[in-house]
Amino acid sequence: MYAPKWEAHSLGKLSAVKEIALAQELSSYGAPGMGYLYMGFYIHTCQKMKYKGQYAPSFLLDPEEYTWCPVEKAFPLLDKHLYVPFSKPTRAARPTAPAAQGGGNDATAEPINEYDDDMSDNEDETASSEPQLNDEALAAVQVGQIRGGTIYTMPAQSSRHWANSYTRGLITRAATLLGEEASQKVILLPP
């Protein structure tokens, strides 16, 4: 559901962070295969789907080998090519006409026979480092606890949750994914 009056509150990001936390919690309780969240279908040229690649780590499924490829490697290839198997980038296809001239989906594709230098399989180039909020921004993050129907809030760094490395990590990741501005407008409810 989309409601423009709530857009500034980044509820979609908040929902995604909550789903990520749930997957991690289920995994920590021993549920096999629950350590990951599948965010659904992805179309690289669809602006409304771009947020799906903003969470780290993120992967896309190779369309031919059915193996997972880090988005740091996949996105540059998808920026250049209409179709690309990430495991075999030399089999990529690019539009024969720009989308603006060819009508978007009407563009045809042709295979690429040469190997682009920037399609390296060097794993070091695909390693991602998750960005972190600075200490000042984290100090402004609020956590809550519900008791008797009332939500009590306090700074995350002053809460009992901060002493636990697992929940501190959840709080830090949630705040980082929300961004500095949004993380200061919400109350996080750690498990």
Side-chain angles (χ1 to χ4, degrees):
M1 179 173 85
Y2 174 73
K5 72 178 187 174
W6 295 100
E7 184 176 11
H9 300 287
S10 301
L11 296 179
K13 285 185 179 182
L14 184 60
S15 174
V17 168
K18 190 66 177 168
E19 291 174 31
I20 291 167
L22 177 62
Q24 290 177 332
E25 186 176 357
L26 290 170
S27 178
S28 74
Y29 288 124
M34 293 299 292
Y36 301 94
L37 174 67
Y38 176 65
M39 297 190 73
F41 196 68
Y42 178 79
I43 301 171
H44 190 66
T45 56
C46 178
Q47 191 61 37
K48 290 185 178 185
M49 291 190 178
K50 293 284 185 182
Y51 78 94
K52 294 180 182 187
Q54 294 175 345
Y55 300 92
S58 287
F59 301 87
L60 293 177
L61 190 64
D62 185 294
E64 292 185 5
E65 297 290 323
Y66 301 111
T67 56
W68 294 102
C69 177
V71 296
E72 296 85 3
K73 181 179 179 182
F75 283 176
L77 296 171
L78 290 170
D79 286 340
K80 290 180 166 185
H81 308 292
L82 180 64
Y83 171 85
V84 61
F86 308 123
S87 59
K88 298 174 185 155
T90 56
R91 294 184 52 182
R94 68 175 65 140
T96 56
Q101 295 172 1
N105 292 336
D106 295 333
T108 58
E110 60 184 43
I112 298 172
N113 295 322
E114 74 276 0
Y115 186 81
D116 291 340
D117 289 339
D118 63 344
M119 291 190 204
S120 169
D121 286 331
N122 184 346
E123 290 299 320
D124 293 338
E125 292 177 13
T126 63
S128 69
S129 59
E130 190 172 327
Q132 297 291 317
L133 289 183
N134 61 42
D135 290 336
E136 184 179 324
L138 280 173
V141 173
Q142 296 286 308
V143 296
Q145 183 177 12
I146 302 173
R147 285 184 295 208
T150 303
I151 298 178
Y152 297 90
T153 64
M154 67 177 58
Q157 293 178 339
S158 302
S159 73
R160 64 181 171 82
H161 301 293
W162 202 255
N164 179 297
S165 63
Y166 175 73
T167 54
R168 182 176 58 246
L170 289 177
I171 293 166
T172 302
R173 281 193 298 274
T176 299
L177 289 170
L178 287 169
E180 185 172 347
E181 185 179 343
S183 68
Q184 293 176 10
K185 294 179 180 180
V186 299
I187 300 167
L188 300 176
L189 299 173

